[in-house]
Amino acid sequence: MLDLFTPRFRKEKLHNHFRLISADPDYAKAQPIIQNWATGLLDRRGESQKFINEFQTTFNSSMWELYLNRALIDLGCSVDFSKSAPDFFVRGPGNYEFNIEAVVSDQPPTAKQQKTFNEQDFKTRGALKLAGKIRDKLDLYRGSNGKKHPYSSMSHVRDRPFVIAIAPFDSDLSLTQNNELINMVLLGLTPPVLEGPDLGKQDKMTSLRKPSGAQVDMGVFTNDSFKEISAVFFSTLGTFGKAVVESKIDRLVRATRYRVIDKDRIAPGSELWQVGTHRFQFAALNYLLTQRRESEHQIGGADMLIQHSSFHRETHLDGLQVYFNPYAEVPFDPKFPWPVEIALNYYDVESGEHIQAHPDGALVSRQVYEITPAYIRLLLGRYGFIR
């Protein structure tokens, strides 16, 4: 297999993340993991050299394709790389065929991070970028703007589900957004209220305003305006951090997992399902904060974990979310055998509700830090383990 990591360009042309992975001995263990993700992907005729060049110079979009390629293998799928477009012509279990076009919302190479952080601006900007990238790929499918060979005209695309796989890389903080911004774009839902009597409540929204003043539609899966898209795959976790935790490099991992259980399945006296906020330390560098709230039949909430990477468990598919378009011309097969860790999202046309089929333990977010006293103090302080 062609080697992703032998530098092909002068140092100043290499992407910062690629430079770090290829030069820092700490990350040597992550290289064979990422190389393994490329299985089959580098066999595409005429495309492999271009792919490696982009991986080394622009990085993020290639990293996302590498993540997806491995995810498809774990889903029990194969990819026919004789088709040059869209990015993945997939054959799943039972010979079920569909196409995936991959895209990231990236920042231009010259982008400067703003010195002051405004959460509302960050969310608006991030949602507009996601919406713009999804629209661009829909235009490729439709053949808008005079494109000569739209995806819809290709025989292997016609009458098969068309999926857009998108990940946000548009700012240094874009991977902290969980699924809030994609929920704005696809389902027209504002971020949930985080405290007070309206805890968890989400309002509806129909559009966001660009800096130019133009309005951009939100909630594109709540009507038939994007009916050519069967589903969207989304993750903030299909990143270099995934390769770091898969390689078990010595790192500090901060992760959040969604938790839910039927009350009749809770063992009597279970400390981990106590309602409210509780903190546990199981070992050196193995901390858990539980947040639990009660509904009629269930206890739900979240686990926040701060752990040495040797304690952290994460599959390649952890963090992958799928959104189904109820208005799709070619719906994605509802009987597709999804592995347990994947979070599925539906929109109920009758009730206008977002239906989250998220498994107990679904990985919501994860960041990786060097193990330094400063990071340990920062994380333990943030979650109330030290004052």
Side-chain angles (χ1 to χ4, degrees):
M1 190 194 293
L2 290 163
D3 178 30
L4 288 167
F5 291 100
T6 304
R8 297 178 164 204
F9 302 93
R10 293 191 314 277
K11 189 176 174 184
E12 60 272 18
K13 195 158 182 218
L14 296 170
H15 191 279
N16 288 343
H17 291 162
F18 177 80
R19 278 210 301 261
L20 188 67
I21 302 167
S22 56
D24 187 333
D26 265 11
Y27 289 124
K29 283 189 195 166
Q31 290 188 24
I33 300 282
I34 296 169
Q35 189 73 43
N36 172 264
W37 294 359
T39 301
L41 188 63
L42 299 180
D43 299 337
R44 182 175 266 161
R45 205 172 61 231
E47 290 282 320
S48 54
Q49 303 300 331
K50 175 172 172 273
F51 183 90
I52 295 171
N53 293 347
E54 288 178 356
F55 177 66
Q56 297 192 4
T57 57
T58 58
F59 192 74
N60 287 331
S61 61
S62 306
M63 194 72 195
W64 178 230
E65 285 192 43
L66 288 163
Y67 167 77
L68 287 169
N69 187 61
R70 178 69 224 182
L72 288 168
I73 294 168
D74 287 1
L75 284 169
C77 299
S78 60
V79 179
D80 180 352
F81 285 114
S82 69
K83 308 286 192 288
S84 61
D87 293 313
F88 299 95
F89 176 44
V90 184
R91 185 167 288 115
N95 288 326
Y96 181 60
E97 293 178 340
F98 58 100
N99 288 274
I100 299 176
E101 178 71 2
V103 66
V104 300
S105 61
D106 218 343
Q107 50 186 323
T110 54
K112 286 187 170 56
Q113 296 295 327
Q114 293 186 324
K115 287 196 170 55
T116 56
F117 176 68
N118 179 302
E119 188 175 9
Q120 191 53 54
D121 285 354
F122 162 72
K123 288 181 176 176
T124 299
R125 237 184 4 258
L128 286 169
K129 287 210 174 217
L130 290 173
K133 292 296 181 181
I134 292 171
R135 157 107 22 215
D136 288 347
K137 294 303 182 182
L138 181 57
D139 287 345
L140 276 180
Y141 182 92
R142 288 174 172 167
S144 307
N145 307 319
K147 180 174 166 56
K148 282 192 177 152
H149 300 291
Y151 292 161
S152 58
S153 70
M154 298 175 177
S155 59
H156 65 285
V157 176
R158 262 199 313 273
D159 302 322
R160 292 177 178 87
F162 178 63
V163 175
I164 291 177
I166 187 164
F169 291 95
D170 48 274
S171 91
D172 290 348
L173 293 167
S174 56
L175 299 175
T176 64
Q177 66 183 256
N178 306 338
N179 64 354
E180 285 187 359
L181 305 191
I182 198 72
N183 284 346
M184 291 165 73
V185 174
L186 299 180
L187 305 173
L189 291 172
T190 62
V193 176
L194 296 178
E195 56 193 12
D198 290 333
L199 179 72
K201 183 172 183 286
Q202 291 180 272
D203 290 326
K204 303 275 176 76
M205 61 185 306
T206 55
S207 65
L208 278 176
R209 190 187 298 274
K210 282 182 166 181
S212 66
Q215 294 284 353
V216 175
D217 289 342
M218 294 286 119
V220 297
F221 277 10
T222 65
N223 53 59
D224 66 358
S225 59
F226 280 44
K227 63 182 182 292
E228 296 90 343
I229 300 173
S230 306
V232 164
F233 291 3
F234 176 82
S235 180
T236 58
L237 294 163
T239 62
F240 174 55
K242 179 77 77 173
V244 171
V245 296
E246 284 184 23
S247 62
K248 294 295 177 192
I249 294 168
D250 274 347
R251 282 295 181 268
L252 193 61
V253 183
R254 191 225 62 80
T256 300
R257 289 187 178 276
Y258 170 78
R259 299 305 309 269
V260 64
I261 192 171
D262 292 336
K263 286 181 180 175
D264 58 11
R265 293 182 53 224
I266 300 172
S270 169
E271 290 190 334
L272 294 182
W273 289 101
Q274 298 171 85
V275 172
T277 299
H278 300 276
R279 292 173 179 82
F280 305 89
Q281 182 181 3
F282 303 114
L285 290 190
N286 190 1
Y287 294 85
L288 167 66
L289 180 148
T290 62
Q291 292 181 330
R292 303 285 184 261
R293 53 182 185 269
E294 195 171 2
S295 65
E296 190 179 351
H297 300 295
Q298 293 183 318
I299 304 285
D303 285 352
M304 280 75 150
L305 300 119
I306 301 164
Q307 299 177 308
H308 184 275
S309 49
S310 60
F311 295 112
H312 179 75
R313 298 287 175 268
E314 179 174 336
T315 72
H316 191 78
L317 294 173
D318 264 326
L320 186 62
Q321 300 218 30
V322 181
Y323 287 78
F324 299 99
N325 186 354
Y327 291 92
E329 288 179 330
V330 185
F332 203 92
D333 182 3
K335 294 191 175 68
F336 188 87
W338 298 104
V340 292
E341 63 267 50
I342 291 182
L344 305 177
N345 296 272
Y346 305 88
Y347 178 75
D348 186 312
V349 173
E350 296 295 316
S351 66
E353 294 297 314
H354 173 203
I355 298 169
Q356 301 184 82
H358 293 197
D360 176 43
L363 189 63
V364 176
S365 66
R366 177 255 304 125
Q367 286 88 36
V368 181
Y369 301 85
E370 288 184 36
I371 302 173
T372 65
Y375 277 132
I376 292 169
R377 274 197 310 273
L378 172 77
L379 290 169
L380 295 184
R382 183 187 297 169
Y383 292 100
F385 288 99
I386 56 174
R387 297 285 176 215

